Amino acid sequence: MERFPWKKCSLQLRRFSVKDGKAMAVTIKSAREIEYMREAGRLLAEVHEELGAFIRPGISTLDIDMLGEKLIRSRGCVPNFLNYNGYPASICVSVNDEVVHGIPNAERILQEGDIVSLDAGLIYKGYHSDAARTHAVGEISEEAKKLIQVTRQSFFEGIKAAREGNHLHDISAAIDDYVSTFGYGIVRDLVGHGIGTQLHEDAQIPNFRQKRTGVRLQAGMTLAVEPMINAGGWQVDFMDDGWTVVTRDHSLSAHYENTILITDGEPEILTVL
Ligand code: MF3
Ligand code: CO
């Protein structure tokens, strides 16, 4: 992986250090690379559609992982999460107060009223895509519906700022401004990232307002923007399994992520159909 001081935390990919203000190099993709990124994104969107349709009470989180891996491989792609820093599955399945990186488990059965976040990624011809969605399991509370909806919308608010000539942290500020009006907690320990021939490339993309501007956005950058939003406080804990991140106050958490392309106009969302 890359050269971040905190990467030695084996568990977490992107523990964000606010002290790290160094400008980071973000790769600019060629037209040919963008075509591969588009296809990687489109195929992942198909996988997410099928996984979303599969969600119902009574299935295990391992059932979701097994289906996800099959859907990825049947498209001639490789699951990029599998064995990433030792992650033992293809899909991250995080239920209720689990924020991200929940490990699929045959004993963990989804119940009516749960919310479940699915984070998935794949490699197509050497190029990575990454996307996450939070789903309702059967009927859920109004409070849970609102959290899912606001989290999704915060991504769209954020990417309104994802335009050539703006700065990276304009995205962060736009997400923060929107989410803060609801009084939700924005997870600070984990952030979005550049993506391309690596799952995690420079730069980091925090979902909360920054003092520094971050790098200037340029057409050809591909970024994974991924707000993780808690119904309660922003604080999280890292579980002893080495992966699962949970809200400290055990409030519900939702996640929404797409891989996007910076263009000379509107950003293009790659992980949609
Ligand atoms: N989408 C996740 C992220 O960008 C990737 C999880 S990698 C895994 O942080 F190793 F946890 F699977
Ligand atoms: Co990601």
Side-chain angles (χ1 to χ4, degrees):
M1 258 179 55
E2 314 88 326
R3 50 181 187 277
F4 294 99
W6 56 91
K7 76 174 182 192
K8 62 182 183 313
C9 312
S10 70
L11 65 153
Q12 273 11 282
L13 321 160
R14 295 260 150 191
R15 295 197 71 167
F16 183 66
S17 162
V18 281
K19 291 191 205 76
D20 185 271
K22 282 202 308 289
M24 292 175 281
V26 182
T27 58
I28 304 295
K29 273 74 179 179
S30 67
R32 183 187 56 86
E33 289 182 292
I34 288 168
E35 279 312 312
Y36 291 152
M37 292 291 296
R38 276 201 184 101
E39 188 60 7
R42 195 187 64 76
L43 292 167
L44 182 58
E46 289 182 0
V47 170
H48 262 298
E49 282 295 313
E50 295 213 28
L51 288 178
F54 180 62
I55 298 301
R56 55 188 146 80
I59 62 171
S60 75
T61 58
L62 186 66
D63 292 331
I64 299 169
D65 179 64
M66 291 189 311
L67 176 60
E69 177 166 4
K70 193 180 95 186
L71 292 168
I72 291 169
R73 293 199 191 277
S74 70
R75 287 166 171 74
C77 300
V78 176
N80 45 7
F81 295 2
L82 185 61
N83 299 321
Y84 185 87
N85 288 351
Y87 184 73
S90 298
I91 314 291
C92 298
V93 185
S94 309
V95 183
N96 295 338
D97 64 340
E98 296 170 354
V99 179
V100 287
H101 302 164
I103 301 176
N105 181 334
E107 316 287 293
R108 186 74 194 263
I109 307 298
L110 296 183
Q111 313 284 337
E112 177 99 19
D114 285 344
I115 65 172
V116 61
S117 300
L118 307 185
D119 192 349
L122 59 78
I123 310 172
Y124 169 78
K125 294 194 177 166
Y127 288 82
H128 291 250
S129 54
D130 185 4
R133 307 280 183 261
T134 300
H135 297 285
V137 182
E139 265 308 305
I140 60 171
S141 67
E142 288 307 314
E143 174 203 355
K145 279 183 200 162
K146 183 173 166 203
L147 176 69
I148 293 173
Q149 176 53 30
V150 168
T151 302
R152 178 180 182 278
Q153 187 60 29
S154 74
F155 163 87
F156 288 96
E157 296 297 323
I159 68 161
K160 286 180 188 168
R163 300 184 75 100
E164 185 164 61
N166 279 2
H167 289 87
L168 188 68
H169 295 165
D170 294 335
I171 302 173
S172 312
I175 294 171
D176 193 337
D177 286 350
Y178 176 72
V179 172
S180 297
T181 62
F182 297 91
Y184 291 147
I186 301 173
V187 174
R188 304 174 77 91
D189 298 64
L190 297 149
V191 297
H193 49 93
I195 181 169
T197 56
Q198 309 291 320
L199 173 58
H200 291 141
E201 298 187 357
D202 287 344
Q204 298 197 328
I205 313 173
N207 297 304
F208 50 100
R209 186 176 277 282
Q210 301 296 300
K211 292 207 183 73
R212 297 172 194 261
T213 61
V215 296
R216 190 179 286 275
L217 297 174
Q218 275 180 57
M221 290 178 171
T222 45
L223 307 173
V225 177
E226 50 178 319
M228 289 151 270
I229 308 298
N230 302 342
W234 60 269
Q235 293 89 347
V236 297
D237 286 311
F238 296 81
M239 305 275 283
D240 290 339
D241 64 11
W243 286 100
T244 313
V245 181
V246 295
T247 57
R248 184 160 297 168
D249 59 12
H250 298 292
S251 61
L252 295 177
S253 186
H255 186 197
Y256 188 85
E257 174 181 27
N258 283 306
T259 301
I260 67 165
L261 169 70
I262 305 298
T263 74
D264 57 8
E266 302 263 300
E268 184 178 327
I269 303 175
L270 302 182
T271 40
V272 290
L273 293 180

